[in-house]
Amino acid sequence: MSSCCLKGFKWQQDAKPQGSETTVNGQSCYVTGANPDVAIVVVHDLYGWTFGNTRLLADYYAAEVGATVYVPDFYGGEVLSAAIVNNPAEWGKLDLPNFMQRNSKVVRAPEIASFARNLRAQHRRVGAIGFCWGGWAVFQLGARTTDGSAPLADCISAAHPTFLEKTEISNVGVPVQILAPEKDPQFTPELKAYALAEIPTLGVPFDYQYFPGLEHGFAVRGNQQDEAEKKGLERAMRAAVGHFKEWLVAV
């Protein structure tokens, strides 16, 4: 994992998340919105479930899609120090290799799947969106099953996914959206090319949104003072809402 996963800006210092913290499926969780039929789970990035930008995005999805939106803690209660994360000069103090080992796919995939199953029992339709670290997870939630049962999510969106593998791309079985910046050492040109070639052969609706000039992390940590990044993150927000409206609400 590179420094791009740490770089970012906190949005609107005076903006306050509108949801509440509770416990869902045994996990701490931010919940916003109140639609018993439609749910969206947000799989957070390295900044974790308490990051204000992620919660503001959840509020936006809840209001614009008309959904109950969940932002669970998938780091087992561990939150990286904001003081260190927001200061590049301090990044050397972060023990990212051990942090990522504690939060590897092998460790976290089962609880992410369990959380989605819990939502399946409560809501008619379930969508998932993942940012950076969360990108691989939503592809797993949207994967075809071997027993013919429905995938854990009805549609997925991934913004600048990290740790995504070709097999996860090939296994997707639901409508999928990718929000892809031009400059991304995680979702590489090779992976972009593979997704663009492979997904159209899978028989699922595919929305590929390309953001020229933008970098990894823009959709959740973009600089609102930079006009290009601001327009990009706003476009990404609208695109995700449109995707969820199409495949969660209009069906």
Side-chain angles (χ1 to χ4, degrees):
M1 177 171 285
S2 63
S3 62
C4 65
C5 294
L6 294 172
K7 176 184 175 183
F9 295 84
K10 185 177 180 180
W11 300 336
Q12 303 173 9
Q13 300 294 330
D14 58 342
K16 302 295 183 184
Q18 301 301 303
S20 60
E21 293 185 3
T22 186
T23 300
V24 178
N25 199 46
Q27 291 168 264
S28 298
C29 187
Y30 176 78
V31 181
T32 181
N35 187 336
D37 289 329
V38 177
I40 299 169
V41 57
V42 178
V43 187
H44 57 70
D45 66 353
L46 198 64
Y47 280 53
W49 77 292
T50 62
F51 187 39
N53 294 9
T54 305
R55 294 185 174 195
L56 291 175
L57 282 172
D59 290 344
Y60 179 78
Y61 301 148
E64 296 298 318
V65 178
T68 304
V69 183
Y70 300 82
V71 186
D73 172 21
F74 288 129
Y75 284 165
E78 187 173 7
V79 179
L80 295 177
S81 167
I84 295 177
V85 170
N86 292 326
N87 183 0
E90 298 287 302
W91 287 353
K93 296 180 180 179
L94 295 172
D95 185 5
L96 282 180
N98 281 325
F99 179 84
M100 297 316 302
Q101 186 175 11
R102 292 191 297 275
N103 296 289
S104 67
K105 291 185 181 184
V106 172
V107 173
R108 296 303 175 194
E111 68 184 64
I112 294 172
S114 175
F115 192 93
R117 289 190 192 96
N118 180 273
L119 295 189
R120 271 276 185 230
Q122 300 180 53
H123 301 275
R124 181 179 62 86
R125 302 286 289 175
V126 176
I129 185 166
F131 297 92
C132 306
W133 180 89
W136 64 266
V138 299
F139 268 84
Q140 290 198 9
L141 294 181
R144 296 188 304 273
T145 62
T146 57
D147 61 4
S149 60
L152 293 175
D154 294 300
C155 67
I156 63 170
S157 177
H160 30 76
T162 298
F163 301 141
L164 185 62
E165 300 174 34
K166 290 181 178 179
T167 53
E168 291 165 333
I169 294 172
S170 297
N171 286 336
V172 70
V174 298
V176 54
Q177 177 185 72
I178 298 178
L179 307 173
E182 177 183 358
K183 304 170 185 177
D184 194 338
Q186 300 297 327
F187 191 51
T188 62
E190 179 187 359
L191 281 175
K192 287 183 174 75
Y194 185 82
L196 285 169
E198 178 71 5
I199 296 176
T201 72
L202 302 178
V204 297
F206 178 35
D207 178 27
Y208 185 83
Q209 299 270 339
Y210 181 66
F211 296 80
L214 297 189
E215 300 180 358
H216 181 93
F218 82 94
V220 69
R221 303 190 304 272
N223 181 3
Q224 290 186 321
Q225 305 308 310
D226 181 294
E227 190 62 22
E229 289 194 32
K230 182 175 184 291
K231 287 182 177 180
L233 68 89
E234 289 175 348
R235 177 186 149 204
M237 292 166 67
R238 293 192 301 270
V241 165
H243 186 67
F244 289 133
K245 280 187 172 181
E246 178 74 19
W247 301 110
L248 296 180
V249 178
V251 292

